[in-house]
Amino acid sequence: MRTTHWIGGKPWHGVAERSGHIYDPATGQVVGQVDFAAAAVVDEAVAAACEAFTRWRAVSLAQRTSLMFAFRELLNARRADLAEIITAEHGKVLSDAAGEIQRGLEAVEFACGIPSLLKGGYSENASTQVDVYSIRQPLGVVGVISPFNFPAMVPLWFVPNAIACGNTVVLKPSEKDPSAANFLAELFAEAGLPDGVFNVVHGDKEAVDRILAHPTVKAVSFVGSTPIARYVYETGTRHGKRVQALGGAKNHMVVLPDADLDLAADAAVSAGFGSAGERCMAISVVVAVDPVGDELVGKIRERMAALHVGDGRRPGCEMGPLVTGAHRDRVVSYLDAGQSAGARLVVDGRNHPIDGEQAGFWLGPTLFDHVDTDMSIYTDEIFGPVLSVLRLPSYDAAVEVVNANPYGNGTAIFTNDGGAARRYQNEIEVGMVGVNVPIPVPVSYYSFGGWKDSLFGDAHAYGPEGVNFFVRSKVVTSRWLDPSHAGVNLGFPRNS
């Protein structure tokens, strides 16, 4: 299988200078090749998007909305096909892939309401016979750089809003699981999107750097690790672009002594090991406030033992492999590092039974207890199925630890005390907060994004802030003179 670029409304038919392997994570086998875009290919995609923009920006809001509805219907009808593509290349189980598509569909549905979101303001007779009004206009060609862990959902956070606002798009998905992006391009074409409005280029740093430097690209949306997010933000802004770059996370779940510990344990396992922990909203740290540590760890351990790990296409599997062998090996290295630092390895994921080919990129759910904040298993974003438990003496100590962490993406508190929950949501320095909700990803009509080293730029993803990112405001001051007006007035205009 060869995955190539989608430029100007059709698959690209050039000769790729370089390519990469596509793996089936559940078997470890190479199942295809993906073309890597040289700078010239990115230029070709940007040129197609630029040519399409002059026509697309003039398309009426009614037509854009109708097209977005058509795309939504096609995506909904083909969601099972897309889920199979995601599972085959990423490794997450089919139910997890279906959930990803559902959240992406919600973002598409939000974009279907774009006419009401692009309304400006109007002030009649601001000065004598002078009206002032604001309009919201598209930026032009925008770039989207998306990660491997959500190959459909993250593009759907950005692309529908960008297109519905009148922009044209060049998407660079992860080279690890590239086929979902092409599938979305095919659905957009089937829905009637004009050629060149949505383009896909595959590749690595060369393609990213060209998008960031290209003078025609007006804005860039990115999701990935914090070091790369910082690089994208600094490079893009240096080239005069508007940039929103969402980075990494170290999400804490604080469990107070009055919490329902069965609910908390269920949440910790679901949020820590869903999608094999490869998501920026995963819970990677459980903060057990004394005296619940022993009981909570015991309940989490019981639930971990029952998890069915294996090929996501097999019935009953709840957690799949990691995306590549290299990433699996990196995550496994933290198990030795945690033990060497003095943490207690309660559950070693290397010993978990696997329902799949042994050559797959496997690591079962892993649990550390008695973790300290200076250990690498705490300080680093591991991005795998490794859950760490910190034991702290009080609510105040928990808040201090969470706020001291350089990341500020998501957090959760489990408690039956409404006052404590309200204090937490106000005192915690994190962008997304869950109260008895372990993964507080906002619904599509709010916006997604963290604080501190989890976000570079001012605009969060999707929702109202996502729309604002893809438009710029213009204020018009107009005067239509009465036909009987005559004469010249050289005085300074008066507000009367």
Side-chain angles (χ1 to χ4, degrees):
M1 178 186 75
R2 178 191 176 202
T3 300
T4 190
H5 320 296
W6 183 279
I7 299 175
K10 58 184 180 295
W12 181 77
H13 294 298
V15 177
E17 297 177 2
R18 297 180 300 123
S19 64
H21 293 314
I22 303 173
Y23 290 91
D24 179 342
T27 66
Q29 301 299 308
V30 175
V31 294
Q33 299 288 124
V34 56
D35 291 342
F36 281 9
V41 177
V42 175
D43 289 348
E44 187 178 337
V46 173
C50 186
E51 181 182 1
F53 175 67
T54 58
R55 299 184 300 274
W56 180 243
R57 68 172 301 176
V59 171
S60 71
L61 284 173
Q63 289 176 284
R64 287 187 230 157
T65 301
S66 178
L67 188 145
M68 203 56 62
F69 271 110
F71 173 73
R72 187 264 175 205
E73 291 305 301
L74 288 169
L75 180 58
N76 187 50
R78 301 284 302 280
R79 62 166 68 195
D81 297 333
L82 181 54
E84 290 180 0
I85 291 171
I86 294 170
T87 295
E89 292 186 354
H90 175 273
K92 65 179 66 176
V93 299
L94 280 170
S95 60
D96 204 352
E100 169 183 349
I101 296 166
Q102 178 58 42
R103 294 309 299 265
L105 270 166
E106 292 172 9
V108 177
E109 290 162 359
F110 178 82
C112 289
I114 204 67
S116 66
L117 302 170
L118 293 183
K119 292 188 296 186
Y122 196 101
S123 296
E124 183 182 21
N125 218 34
S127 186
T128 303
Q129 295 185 337
V130 174
D131 302 330
V132 180
Y133 54 94
S134 63
I135 55 180
R136 311 182 78 194
Q137 296 186 318
L139 303 175
V141 179
V142 300
V144 176
I145 303 168
S146 62
F148 73 82
N149 57 326
F150 288 102
M153 184 184 74
V154 170
L156 292 173
W157 281 359
F158 301 111
V159 173
N161 273 343
I163 289 175
C165 288
N167 302 282
T168 55
V169 178
V170 175
L171 167 66
K172 207 298 287 186
S174 171
E175 66 278 15
K176 296 180 178 67
D177 44 8
S179 299
N182 282 31
F183 188 88
L184 295 177
E186 292 170 7
L187 293 187
F188 269 120
E190 188 176 345
L193 190 69
D195 293 350
V197 175
F198 180 50
N199 308 272
V200 180
V201 293
H202 301 284
D204 53 10
K205 187 176 183 295
E206 182 178 354
V208 169
D209 284 346
R210 186 54 185 154
I211 291 172
L212 295 176
H214 199 295
T216 303
V217 176
K218 303 301 183 185
V220 174
S221 300
F222 171 86
V223 176
S225 68
T226 286
I228 306 303
R230 181 181 287 108
Y231 173 82
V232 167
Y233 178 75
E234 292 175 350
T235 306
T237 54
R238 189 170 65 249
H239 286 90
K241 304 187 191 315
R242 181 181 292 186
V243 180
Q244 54 179 174
L246 284 68
K250 198 70 180 182
N251 302 320
H252 299 70
M253 188 178 99
V254 176
V255 182
L256 297 187
D258 70 315
D260 182 325
L261 294 189
D262 286 314
L263 175 65
D266 288 342
V269 172
S270 298
F273 305 121
S275 197
E278 293 174 324
R279 53 190 180 192
C280 66
M281 289 300 287
I283 291 296
S284 53
V285 180
V286 173
V287 179
V289 177
D290 289 343
V292 302
D294 288 344
E295 185 177 0
L296 180 60
V297 168
K299 289 179 179 292
I300 292 173
R301 181 177 187 173
E302 291 173 4
R303 287 157 173 78
M304 290 172 63
L307 285 180
H308 188 177
V309 179
D311 189 328
R313 295 159 292 203
R314 297 186 181 184
C317 286
E318 299 168 291
M319 187 184 112
L322 277 75
V323 68
T324 65
H327 182 58
R328 185 267 320 276
D329 293 345
R330 174 185 174 276
V331 174
V332 168
S333 72
Y334 280 98
L335 276 62
D336 294 331
Q339 285 185 292
S340 298
R344 178 187 169 214
L345 184 58
V346 179
V347 178
D348 188 338
R350 292 169 291 195
N351 301 325
H352 199 94
I354 301 300
D355 183 4
E357 301 289 338
Q358 291 303 306
F361 308 136
W362 304 109
L363 176 64
T366 297
L367 179 64
F368 278 104
D369 193 9
H370 298 286
V371 175
D372 291 331
T373 57
D374 60 351
M375 298 177 179
S376 64
I377 56 173
Y378 176 80
T379 60
D380 297 357
E381 184 185 28
I382 298 174
F383 221 65
V386 179
L387 188 63
S388 296
V389 177
L390 270 67
R391 299 187 182 220
L392 295 176
S394 66
Y395 165 88
D396 289 330
V399 170
E400 183 178 351
V401 164
V402 177
N403 284 345
N405 194 276
Y407 295 108
N409 208 44
T411 188
I413 185 169
F414 277 71
T415 180
N416 285 312
D417 185 335
R422 193 169 188 276
R423 274 191 65 189
Y424 191 77
Q425 72 182 36
N426 291 329
E427 295 173 350
I428 213 68
E429 296 174 6
V430 174
M432 293 171 283
V433 180
V435 177
N436 297 319
V437 174
I439 303 181
V441 176
V443 292
S444 63
Y445 41 90
Y446 285 82
S447 295
F448 178 102
W451 291 5
K452 299 189 286 190
D453 283 356
S454 294
L455 176 70
F456 299 86
D458 296 327
H460 290 180
Y462 66 79
E465 291 189 47
V467 172
N468 291 339
F469 181 79
F470 289 117
V471 296
R472 53 186 172 182
S473 295
K474 180 182 290 182
V475 178
V476 180
T477 302
S478 69
R479 178 172 63 179
W480 296 99
L481 300 181
D482 187 281
S484 64
H485 173 81
V488 175
N489 183 354
L490 299 182
F492 198 84
R494 294 177 296 170
N495 292 322
S496 61

